[in-house]
């Protein structure tokens, strides 16, 4: 039984660093052997994204990430505030799979929407 995580968001700044996603729009689907907690903010989404990319090596996006991991992490840290500010329409769907007493599978779905706001500089 595998848990699943779907992450949908738009982020042109992160797209430039990761070299994955069309025009900064992401709709990624991952599998996870471990339980996954819902993110609370954009920083949690970045952390979750990188962790899931590491744990799903067969995905084309993961191969890009793992092949350039040092550069991606370095550029992410250097541009963290810009990346966080560039997030739009974040939705994370976590589907947890457990076993019922009768041996059947039970799926629990948790949907997290994170609203980001534009910061205006004077």
């Amino acid at each position: 039984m595998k848990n699943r995580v779907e992450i949908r968001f738009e982020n042109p700044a992160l797209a430039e660093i990761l070299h994955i996603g069309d025009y900064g729009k992401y709709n990624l689907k991952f599998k996870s052997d471990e339980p996954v907690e819902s993110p609370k903010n954009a920083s949690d989404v970045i952390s979750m994204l990188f962790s899931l990319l590491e744990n799903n090596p067969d995905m084309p996006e993961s191969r890009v990430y793992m092949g350039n991991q040092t550069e991606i992490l370095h550029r992410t840290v250097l541009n963290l505030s810009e990346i966080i500010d560039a997030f739009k329409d974040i939705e994370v769907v976590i589907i947890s799979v457990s076993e019922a007493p009768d041996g059947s599978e039970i799926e629990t779905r948790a949907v997290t929407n994170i609203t980001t706001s534009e910061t205006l500089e004077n």
Side-chain angles (χ1 to χ4, degrees):
M1 287 183 278
K2 288 224 182 233
N3 300 315
R4 298 184 306 279
V5 180
E6 298 175 14
I7 303 176
R8 292 188 265 300
F9 62 87
E10 187 175 335
N11 190 321
L14 191 56
E16 196 274 320
I17 291 172
L18 285 177
H19 309 294
I20 59 175
D22 294 328
Y23 308 107
K25 293 184 182 186
Y26 292 84
N27 186 2
L28 301 170
K29 296 178 183 183
F30 300 98
K31 293 182 180 175
S32 177
D33 291 326
E34 302 298 320
V36 179
E37 289 191 34
S38 295
K40 294 172 183 47
N41 53 44
S43 295
D44 287 352
V45 173
I46 293 171
S47 180
M48 173 187 278
L49 174 64
F50 288 168
S51 176
L52 289 166
L53 285 168
E54 287 178 12
N55 292 317
N56 286 270
D58 294 336
M59 293 178 60
E61 297 88 355
S62 294
R63 288 192 289 275
V64 171
Y65 172 74
M66 295 305 291
N68 301 287
Q69 188 175 25
T70 302
E71 176 197 353
I72 289 169
L73 294 176
H74 177 77
R75 291 180 65 195
T76 300
V77 170
L78 289 177
N79 300 300
L80 189 58
S81 63
E82 177 187 339
I83 292 168
I84 289 173
D85 288 345
F87 270 108
K88 293 181 183 67
D89 304 323
I90 303 171
E91 180 182 69
V92 178
V93 178
I94 299 172
I95 301 161
S96 301
V97 180
S98 59
E99 188 174 322
D102 66 2
S104 63
E105 288 186 357
I106 299 174
E107 286 190 1
T108 307
R109 179 182 288 263
V111 179
T112 303
N113 290 295
I114 299 174
T115 303
T116 56
S117 59
E118 257 182 64
T119 54
L120 301 175
E121 295 183 20
N122 295 336

